[in-house]
């Protein structure tokens, strides 16, 4: 017989059920239209993600970003081009524009994740994409630094809903044996989109005008924004269907007032007085109800954040991801300049861009396929993260040690291929180390963390380091060594990551002990 407290079994079972993939009958109703096949959903989300990152690449391209006007000593002046030339921006202001969207993204990501518990997540994506479309149109219509900077922040707000909620939807609808491969396909759009944005921005800026680059992006995104509202919404697993219901508090407040008004309706003055009281009570009730909802939402968000911060698997995974993103962010910004100074490359932008897009696509896809082949578990994901990052760090570190460009290129290419293989496994852990209802918040806080502590501060800090050592090779080697720290963090996580085999052995042992308790002992 079971000697535990009656509630103990229920709580443990509920916790285990929350961490397992839900079956069709366990999830919220997802009566989706027949047109909505899983592959179509993945394709749509990949296109949206591609457009997001094309925008990031476009604003950094020479055709859109442009340059300041110059004047020679002889008095001959050439006009500036692009955003920087039209608005006469300093290099600092120009740099702010490239990362301004991050402000909106970091602020709005946890907000959208929290709203997903009280509003349909699919509709929230539609809201976010609508904000994104309007903000991009505003970028094309901007007239000075502040107007375009504010629009770039709103671009980040619109992107936040999609970044927080798209991955959970993909994980819900992906085949069980191909979940990380589907995530890899989705995240493959990041390097491909940025590289495509460079080319797209350059062509549009050269043949039309930099403003058209933003307007054309908005035209491509508009159907998806409308799509988020007109299509029958999907539900995420672990979320109840969102229905508008009347608050019981309002009913309780209004009921006695209505009865009094019926009794005193004989006297007109009394009727007017009671109606006034009724209106005041209704207003007070709605105000108190609204305040209660806000406080309840804040309280729930605080509780969810506490759960995330106490989840050591989630925290260690994000810590490794921060160290990883610190290096990748600095590579993307300083890589071409470091390559030009170390190896005197005449076409450093093209070379680094080509290596990044090829290795980004193949590396990201390979990471997802390998994890599916190994068996998609959190333990295997950490093993893959640690192994590929460690090997990638060795190749990248060795590449910068070479004096010859011909030795650098193949080693650095293999290193980036291995490093990019982490994208699918690290996001798989974020999704599966928490219960389904926590996944949007887990993805949002992961995104916020890797940007605040990773790629946002890495570029200026590496610049400070270079000013101090005044040697790009040493700077690149010091930066690359941080990848070993990321590999070590993920290796530590393997020791306490949940393992399916351990769970199975534990459950069998528990079953045997329970059966042993029920065996009658002979005197």
């Amino acid at each position: 017989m079971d000697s535990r407290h009656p509630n103990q079994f229920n709580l443990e079972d509920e916790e285990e059920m929350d961490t397992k993939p839900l079956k069709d009958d366990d999830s919220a109703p997802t009566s989706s239209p027949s047109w909505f096949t899983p592959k179509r959903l993945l394709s749509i989300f990949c296109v949206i993600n591609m457009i997001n990152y094309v925008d990031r690449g476009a604003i950094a391209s020479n055709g859109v970003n442009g340059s300041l006007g110059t004047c020679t000593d002889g008095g001959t002046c050439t006009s500036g081009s692009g955003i920087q030339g039209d608005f006469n921006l300093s290099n600092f202001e120009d740099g702010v524009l490239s990362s301004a969207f991050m402000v909106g993204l970091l602020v709005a990501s946890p907000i959208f994740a929290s709203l997903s518990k009280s509003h349909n997540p699919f509709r929230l994506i539609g809201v976010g994409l609508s904000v994104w479309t309007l903000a991009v149109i505003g970028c094309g219509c901007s007239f000075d630094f502040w107007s375009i900077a504010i629009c770039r922040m709103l671009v980040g707000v619109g992107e936040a809903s999609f970044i927080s909620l798209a991955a959970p939807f993909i994980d819900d609808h992906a085949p069980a044996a191909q979940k990380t491969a589907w995530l890899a396909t989705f995240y493959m759009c990041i390097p491909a989109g940025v590289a495509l944005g460079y080319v797209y921005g350059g062509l549009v800026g050269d043949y039309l005008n930099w403003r058209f680059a933003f307007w054309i992006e908005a035209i491509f995104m508009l159907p998806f924004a409308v799509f988020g509202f007109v299509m029958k919404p999907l539900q995420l697993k672990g979320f109840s269907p969102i229905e508008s219901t009347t608050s019981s508090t309002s009913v309780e407040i209004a009921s006695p007032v209505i009865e009094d008004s019926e009794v005193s309706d004989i006297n007109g003055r009394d009727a007017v007085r009671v109606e006034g009281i009724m209106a005041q009570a209704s207003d007070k009730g709605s105000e108190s109800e609204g305040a209660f909802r806000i406080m309840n939402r804040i309280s729930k968000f605080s509780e969810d954040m506490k759960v995330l911060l106490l989840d050591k698997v989630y925290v260690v995974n994000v810590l490794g991801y921060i160290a990883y993103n610190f290096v990748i962010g600095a590579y993307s910004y300083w890589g071409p300049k470091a390559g030009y100074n170390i190896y005197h490359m005449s076409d450093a932008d093209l070379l680094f861009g080509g290596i990044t897009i090829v290795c980004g696509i193949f590396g990201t896809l390979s990471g997802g396929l390998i994890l599916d082949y190994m068996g998609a578990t959190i333990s295997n994901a950490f093993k893959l993260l640690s192994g590929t990052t460690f090997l990638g760090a060795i190749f990248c570190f060795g590449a910068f040690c070479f004096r010859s460009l011909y030795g650098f290129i193949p080693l650095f290419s293999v290193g980036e291929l291995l490093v990019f293989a982490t994208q699918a496994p690290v996001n798989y852990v974020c999704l599966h180390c928490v219960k389904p209802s926590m996944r949007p918040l887990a993805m949002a806080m992961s995104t916020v963390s890797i940007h605040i502590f990773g790629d946002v501060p890495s570029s200026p800090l590496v610049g400070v380091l270079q000013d101090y050592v005044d040697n790009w090779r040493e700077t690149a080697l010091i930066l690359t060594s941080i990848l070993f720290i990321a590999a070590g963090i993920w290796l530590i996580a393997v020791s306490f990551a949940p393992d399916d085999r351990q769970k199975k052995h534990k459950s069998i042992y528990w079953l045997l002990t329970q059966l042993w308790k029920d065996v009658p002992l002979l005197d």
Side-chain angles (χ1 to χ4, degrees), residues 108-138:
S109 290
I111 294 176
F112 276 111
S114 179
L115 288 175
S116 65
K117 291 194 173 184
S118 56
H119 298 77
N120 185 275
F122 196 81
R123 291 289 187 249
L124 289 177
I125 291 178
V127 171
L129 295 182
S130 300
V131 173
W132 191 96
T133 304
L134 293 174
V136 169
I137 293 174

Side-chain angles (χ1 to χ4, degrees), residues 45 329 437 505:
F45 280 177
S437 61
H505 294 165

Side-chain angles (χ1 to χ4, degrees), residues 149-339:
I150 292 172
C151 288
R152 295 307 298 173
M153 293 179 191
L154 292 175
V155 167
V157 171
E159 187 177 331
S161 68
F162 181 73
I163 294 298
S164 303
L165 300 169
F169 270 115
I170 292 173
D171 187 76
D172 277 356
H173 293 82
Q178 299 176 358
K179 287 186 179 294
T180 41
W182 281 42
L183 287 174
T185 303
F186 177 73
Y187 286 106
M188 176 197 70
C189 299
I190 295 177
V194 172
L196 183 60
Y198 290 144
V199 178
Y200 162 78
L203 292 175
V204 175
D206 291 341
Y207 289 97
L208 296 173
N209 183 281
W210 64 266
R211 297 180 186 274
F212 281 90
F214 295 112
W215 293 336
I216 294 172
E217 289 172 7
I219 291 173
F220 277 101
M221 185 65 85
L222 181 60
F224 298 103
V226 174
F227 177 83
F229 289 103
V230 300
M231 291 298 294
K232 188 174 181 180
L234 300 176
Q235 291 285 346
L236 281 175
K237 291 182 179 179
F239 288 78
S240 300
I242 309 298
E243 298 177 357
S244 57
T245 57
T246 305
S247 174
S248 59
T249 306
S250 303
V251 174
E252 291 175 359
I253 294 174
S255 298
V257 178
I258 294 173
E259 291 174 1
D260 290 344
S261 65
E262 292 176 352
V263 173
S264 57
D265 195 44
I266 300 172
N267 191 313
R269 293 180 180 178
D270 290 343
V272 172
R273 180 175 59 83
V274 171
E275 286 176 2
I277 296 173
M278 176 181 173
Q280 292 178 3
S282 178
D283 291 341
K284 290 180 180 179
S286 60
E287 290 177 2
S288 61
E289 181 184 350
F292 174 77
R293 286 181 178 178
I294 293 173
M295 293 302 297
N296 185 51
R297 187 166 294 168
I298 294 174
S299 175
K300 182 60 178 173
F301 177 78
S302 300
E303 292 175 3
D304 290 343
M305 283 299 302
K306 184 178 179 181
V307 171
L308 282 182
L309 293 175
L310 293 177
D311 189 331
K312 58 184 180 181
V313 173
Y314 177 81
V315 170
V316 174
N317 183 56
V318 173
L319 286 175
Y321 203 12
I322 289 171
Y324 164 88
N325 224 54
F326 187 95
V327 178
I328 297 301
Y331 271 177
S332 64
Y333 189 81
W334 292 114
K337 183 168 289 189

Side-chain angles (χ1 to χ4, degrees), residues 81-117:
S81 63
I83 297 173
Q84 189 175 22
D86 283 4
F87 297 151
N88 195 29
L89 303 180
S90 66
N91 287 329
F92 172 76
E93 291 173 326
D94 189 27
V96 168
L97 289 186
S98 66
S99 57
F101 81 96
M102 201 71 72
V103 176
L105 181 69
L106 300 183
V107 171
S109 290
I111 294 176
F112 276 111
S114 179
L115 288 175
S116 65
K117 291 194 173 184

